[in-house]
Amino acid sequence: MQSIDRPLEVQKAEFKQGKLLATPIAGMIAWFATFISGLLFNDQITVWVLFISTGSIVYLGMGISKLTGENFLDKTKPKNTFNTLFFYTAAQAILVYSIAIPFFIENYSSLPLTVGILTGLMWLPMSWIIDHWVGIFHALLRTISILVLWYLFPDERFIVIPLNIVVIYVITIAILIRRYRNKNIDTVTT
């Protein structure tokens, strides 16, 4: 069944029923790797870890989706316009490296700030798609806290900012799990 055969409202309802955990788990793992690198290695190594790990979130998410039951690559599922929109927001997050890289060249310590904030913006459309506040929460808390930490800890930017993002992901994942469980309880009781 093609996406054009089903109204957008139906597709949105289908998308909202998903767990939506694979990509946030992938993001948490990527930023955790950056945090560990910031603790153990110098900034030159951590810069590469940040670039590689955050650039790999989509691919890591595809693998994790098989473990969470979301299976992004399942060709038997009907096409859904909102899956496509989500992947476009992921592509948008990757394209923001074109902003982060010039600032990185000028000041390498800007990298956690720029990549951390710019890639977190993809959470805003997610709130609209799923009709839930979690994406707004994630994007706003992430943006504000990264900016504050960038100024407060200039010598520890590659440690405190990735750790902050990991903590926000943990909270976000907990909210998404609760949301998914509540949706399933609602469908069972109705």
Side-chain angles (χ1 to χ4, degrees):
M1 180 181 282
Q2 297 297 319
S3 62
I4 55 173
D5 295 338
R6 297 179 349 271
L8 282 176
E9 295 80 18
V10 171
Q11 293 181 61
K12 186 174 182 181
E14 291 169 357
F15 187 91
K16 287 167 53 173
Q17 294 302 315
K19 293 179 185 174
L20 310 175
L21 295 174
T23 306
I25 290 170
M28 181 182 67
I29 291 168
W31 283 101
F32 187 72
T34 304
F35 164 68
I36 294 300
S37 180
L39 283 176
L40 301 178
F41 303 112
N42 63 35
D43 289 350
Q44 285 101 350
I45 292 173
T46 303
V47 160
W48 284 105
V49 171
L50 192 153
F51 272 125
I52 293 167
S53 64
T54 59
S56 301
I57 290 172
V58 170
Y59 307 108
L60 185 57
M62 287 178 189
I64 292 170
S65 74
K66 291 182 181 195
L67 301 173
T68 61
E70 297 168 87
N71 198 356
F72 296 160
L73 302 175
D74 183 359
K75 303 269 187 223
T76 63
K77 286 196 266 185
K79 291 188 185 237
N80 188 303
T81 299
F82 294 95
N83 284 330
T84 305
L85 176 60
F86 176 75
F87 281 112
Y88 274 109
T89 63
Q92 171 191 329
I94 292 168
L95 290 174
V96 300
Y97 284 92
S98 64
I99 296 171
I101 290 171
F103 284 104
F104 158 73
I105 291 169
E106 293 295 318
N107 176 0
Y108 77 93
S109 76
S110 69
L111 199 59
L113 170 83
T114 56
V115 173
I117 291 174
L118 294 171
T119 58
L121 297 178
M122 69 180 286
W123 281 91
L124 286 174
M126 181 59 71
S127 267
W128 175 80
I129 294 171
I130 65 172
D131 295 321
H132 193 279
W133 53 268
V134 68
I136 296 168
F137 161 81
H138 185 100
L140 286 178
L141 182 59
R142 186 164 161 169
T143 299
I144 294 165
S145 61
I146 289 172
L147 187 59
V148 168
L149 292 171
W150 194 79
Y151 281 109
L152 290 179
F153 299 97
D155 296 331
E156 304 296 326
R157 290 173 176 160
F158 286 97
I159 298 171
V160 297
I161 292 174
L163 178 60
N164 172 66
I165 294 171
V166 168
V167 169
I168 293 169
Y169 268 122
V170 168
I171 295 166
T172 300
I173 291 166
I175 294 166
L176 287 169
I177 290 169
R178 185 172 184 198
R179 176 197 157 275
Y180 181 74
R181 286 183 181 154
N182 288 345
K183 283 225 170 276
N184 285 340
I185 289 169
D186 291 344
T187 31
V188 170
T189 58
T190 56

